[in-house]
Amino acid sequence: MFVKAPSRAVQRQRLLDRGAADDPVSLERRLDRADAEERLADQFDAVVVNDDVDHAVTTILDLLAARRHPA
């Protein structure tokens, strides 16, 4: 399962809000790494866009339950 931000702009703002990047170079490096990871998203069984944390969690739980108890 691959969880991604709804956009690069949102991802950038989330990193800034969390203080996850000490400087602009570090921030860009993290965003570049995220871009590289997103290019691999099609190799996962599911992609969940984390546009709303509660919705994303519910989606992930539903996907996991479906895998445990296939119809």
Side-chain angles (χ1 to χ4, degrees), residues 18-39:
R18 287 196 320 241
D22 297 331
D23 60 79
V25 172
S26 176
L27 175 64
E28 288 306 314
R29 192 173 346 169
R30 290 197 60 173
L31 290 169
D32 289 344
R33 188 174 333 125
D35 286 342
E37 291 170 358
E38 282 191 34
R39 286 192 291 276

Side-chain angles (χ1 to χ4, degrees), residues 15-70:
L15 289 169
L16 290 169
D17 291 347
R18 287 196 320 241
D22 297 331
D23 60 79
V25 172
S26 176
L27 175 64
E28 288 306 314
R29 192 173 346 169
R30 290 197 60 173
L31 290 169
D32 289 344
R33 188 174 333 125
D35 286 342
E37 291 170 358
E38 282 191 34
R39 286 192 291 276
L40 302 174
D42 64 343
Q43 296 179 22
F44 289 77
D45 292 333
V47 176
V48 176
V49 177
N50 184 12
D51 52 354
D52 173 78
V53 71
D54 292 329
H55 182 260
V57 168
T58 299
T59 300
I60 291 167
L61 292 173
D62 290 346
L63 289 166
L64 291 173
R67 289 190 63 89
R68 272 188 242 127
H69 308 288

